[in-house]
Amino acid sequence: MILADTHTHTAFSTDSTSSPRSQIRQAIRLGLQDFYITDHYDMDFPGEEPSFVFDIPEYFRTLEALKEEYRGQICLHIGIELGLQPHLGKRPEELTASWPFEFVIGSTHVVDQMDPYFPVYWDGKTEQQGLHRYFEDMLENIRSFDCFDSCGHLDYIVRYLPSGRKVNLFAEFGDIIDEILRTLIDRDIALECNTAGFKYGLGHPNPHEDVLIRYRELGGELLTIGSDGHAPEHLAYDFSLLPELLKKLGYRYYTIYKDRRPVFLNLNE
Ligand code: HSO
Ligand code: ZN
Ligand code: ZN
Ligand code: ZN
């Protein structure tokens, strides 16, 4: 079984109401050994009020106390899902250099001041243009930021296509996806397998199996696994499917991070 969930949220995230304690207790019930809370921190998230940011000192105070309280039952890791946008400059790196995060996910949520989660992102562009624009910014983020360990949900945007159609990523965007994967490999950044794709009814994790296969073919070896669960019932979502699926796609190991360094776990255990 998969023994770690490396991508989860609590009420420190604008879009979750789950207390950290309720998430940790569920993770223990599920039998996880390592559990990562990675709340959203998107600098300059669009909107009137600041959102998708949290009080960092309070986050560490709360989670460090819980880490101690549950020591021996589960290994809690204090992580962050950092939203990247090209114009943020040095700010993300300054943040990760200033605080002892144990694991940092770098995600592209906002492109041209819009999150594709909101329908307005799609106004005035074709789906093809909206998808391509998203991958362009992701590539720029991966090239320019040196502050994260794993690339979150590479095809996040396919969850929110207005038509709900299935996209053949390699037929339509193969060149840019290859460039994203090669850049991750060159920079020793992991690729995330995010099982929220199953929760969204896509029938595949994010990214799609084709991307996971291609990453292996190109020599990629760092694969992190996360549910992106915002509530207890979504933790370790469909993790039971993963050992067989990932072995079929050419993987023997998955990766967790301890103090920002990769540790390999066997998919057969
Ligand atoms: N970034 C979220 C999706 C969302 N965007 C909610 C705005 N609200 C995915 O966890
Ligand atoms: Zn979220
Ligand atoms: Zn995300
Ligand atoms: Zn997330």
Side-chain angles (χ1 to χ4, degrees), residues 7-9 38 40 81 105 107 109 153 159 194 228-230:
H7 185 158
T8 76
H9 296 276
T38 54
H40 284 295
E81 182 181 12
I105 300 170
S107 293
H109 294 127
H153 45 51
R159 296 177 186 167
N194 181 308
D228 211 348
H230 291 58

Side-chain angles (χ1 to χ4, degrees), residues 246-265:
L246 294 175
K247 281 189 268 178
K248 200 176 79 198
L249 303 180
Y251 292 85
R252 288 164 54 217
Y253 301 96
Y254 62 105
T255 308
I256 64 174
Y257 280 72
K258 296 207 168 170
D259 290 327
R260 311 257 348 241
R261 288 181 211 287
V263 174
F264 293 89
L265 300 181

Side-chain angles (χ1 to χ4, degrees), residues 21-32 231-233 235:
R21 186 183 298 280
S22 69
Q23 295 289 64
I24 294 165
R25 288 171 59 98
Q26 176 67 1
I28 294 169
R29 263 182 239 121
L30 290 167
L32 296 175
E233 62 272 26
L235 299 186

